[in-house]
Amino acid sequence: MADHKSRVESGISLDFEGRMSYGDYLQLDTLLSAQKPLSDKQDETLFIILHHVQELWLRLIIHELEFAMRNLREDKAGIAFKALARVSAIQEQLVTAWDVLSTMTPSDYMTFRDQLGQASGFQSYQYRLVEILLGAKDERMLVPHKHRPEIHARLREAFDGPSIYDEAIALVARAGFDVPKELLERDFSKTHQHNEALREIWLTVYREPERHFELYELAEELVDVEDRFQQWRFRHMKTVERIIGYKKGTGGSSGVGFLKTALDRTFFPELWAVRTDL
């Protein structure tokens, strides 16, 4: 006969009157009360939770990118590498999250799509901040956030400051390479443009990886981040195409067409270019 004794061990805490519990620490009441569907349709809850999860991961990516940038600035590359590796791991979660949303059919989505109004992922300020920290600088992308002064100010500060690639380039210069002055003293509110001299520097690093291993590893960490970011963009685009085809996006964009334009852009052009030269 099976033994049905309780599995609860004598040392496990059971009484949380006046004490902090798991739910208290994570503020689960707040977190779980944030899912407020505007319809009674089954798949709207999936849609909301999927985007909540993505926003939480984006928050952690921002936390790690800013940490990595501070450490690059302080010549603590090894610590920055760990943060960048974590960003890549988080991005894997973002990519696979689209598999869950893809279980929603076009018919499912159309039952509640009108409830979204003009709301769109395009308006995610955290996604925009990730793009800015990686180096995408487009003034018009800040406009949807002007109605939230505190958010707009945070985006503006990052927009006017160096990206993680700018910090990497500065580290390359401090390592003794002859980085062009215009790359070190430029207007950071502008997107970095391909520079042949910098391409040659990275080519030297890649041709002698053991001699320049720290910079070599930095370059590969950055490529990992951009590679996964592009995978996320691609899966986003294909998920949208699968669910709404070529309809316009809820925020007024061309939808799939708009998302495809991001796939041709790069944050770290020289790091991709050197692969042809090796």
Side-chain angles (χ1 to χ4, degrees):
M1 185 173 179
D3 184 357
H4 294 292
K5 290 182 180 180
S6 173
R7 292 182 57 249
V8 177
E9 297 172 349
S10 60
I12 293 178
S13 298
L14 299 175
D15 182 4
F16 289 93
E17 184 68 34
R19 301 167 66 193
M20 182 177 70
S21 70
Y22 170 84
D24 297 331
Y25 176 71
L26 294 178
Q27 298 191 48
L28 286 183
D29 289 344
T30 299
L31 181 65
L32 299 179
S33 66
Q35 292 79 49
K36 300 182 186 299
L38 299 180
S39 74
D40 61 356
K41 306 305 179 184
Q42 172 73 13
D43 287 78
E44 190 179 359
T45 297
L46 159 65
F47 189 83
I48 291 172
I49 289 177
L50 185 283
H51 287 87
H52 276 170
V53 168
Q54 296 232 17
E55 289 292 334
L56 287 170
W57 281 131
L58 287 171
R59 182 173 185 178
L60 186 54
I61 286 176
I62 292 164
H63 180 70
E64 297 296 335
L65 282 177
E66 291 179 332
F67 180 75
M69 290 169 68
R70 287 195 301 273
N71 280 281
L72 287 178
R73 202 173 300 134
E74 297 172 6
D75 294 319
K76 299 175 182 176
I79 298 175
F81 296 159
K82 181 179 179 181
L84 289 173
R86 182 173 292 167
V87 169
S88 294
I90 297 165
Q91 289 173 306
E92 292 288 347
Q93 301 301 310
L94 286 170
V95 172
T96 57
W98 294 121
D99 293 339
V100 182
L101 191 62
S102 293
T103 65
M104 183 172 65
T105 69
S107 298
D108 295 332
Y109 182 51
M110 294 310 294
T111 63
F112 67 88
R113 189 184 191 223
D114 288 346
Q115 300 292 336
L116 273 63
Q118 297 299 304
S120 165
F122 173 82
Q123 299 145 17
S124 167
Y125 80 86
Q126 291 201 123
Y127 174 79
R128 195 63 56 213
L129 183 53
V130 170
E131 279 199 329
I132 290 170
L133 293 175
L134 292 176
K137 306 292 181 79
D138 183 341
E139 190 88 29
R140 294 187 66 190
M141 294 295 193
L142 302 183
V143 176
H145 308 287
K146 281 192 172 181
H147 70 294
R148 296 286 304 277
E150 70 285 3
I151 290 174
H152 187 265
R154 186 180 183 193
L155 291 173
R156 183 83 247 182
E157 182 181 10
F159 191 90
D160 291 335
S163 69
I164 193 165
Y165 196 40
D166 291 313
E167 297 292 359
I169 292 169
L171 184 67
V172 169
R174 293 195 298 274
F177 284 96
D178 188 18
V179 175
K181 186 177 180 180
E182 63 266 24
L183 293 180
L184 301 172
E185 299 177 3
R186 71 184 192 86
D187 179 356
F188 293 124
S189 68
K190 307 297 181 185
T191 298
H192 168 82
Q193 299 299 316
H194 178 91
N195 182 280
E196 278 299 320
L198 183 59
R199 176 175 175 164
E200 288 298 321
I201 290 172
W202 283 122
L203 188 56
T204 298
V205 170
Y206 271 83
R207 281 177 172 160
E208 301 179 87
E210 292 184 2
R211 181 179 178 185
H212 309 291
F213 189 77
E214 186 174 85
L215 298 180
Y216 177 70
E217 185 173 356
L218 172 59
E220 284 298 287
E221 293 286 359
L222 292 174
V223 169
D224 282 347
V225 169
E226 177 161 359
D227 188 5
R228 285 171 176 79
F229 196 82
Q230 289 291 55
Q231 290 178 38
W232 185 88
R233 282 172 161 172
F234 179 78
R235 287 291 287 120
H236 183 195
M237 181 270 292
K238 294 305 290 184
T239 302
V240 170
E241 183 179 4
R242 174 175 176 155
I243 295 175
I244 69 169
Y246 281 79
K247 291 184 180 72
K248 279 194 170 184
T250 50
S253 76
S254 59
V256 169
F258 173 75
L259 296 174
K260 281 184 176 180
T261 62
L263 297 176
D264 295 326
R265 301 187 179 189
T266 179
F267 301 115
F268 320 128
E270 296 84 4
L271 297 183
W272 293 97
V274 296
R275 280 147 170 78
T276 304
D277 300 327
L278 288 170

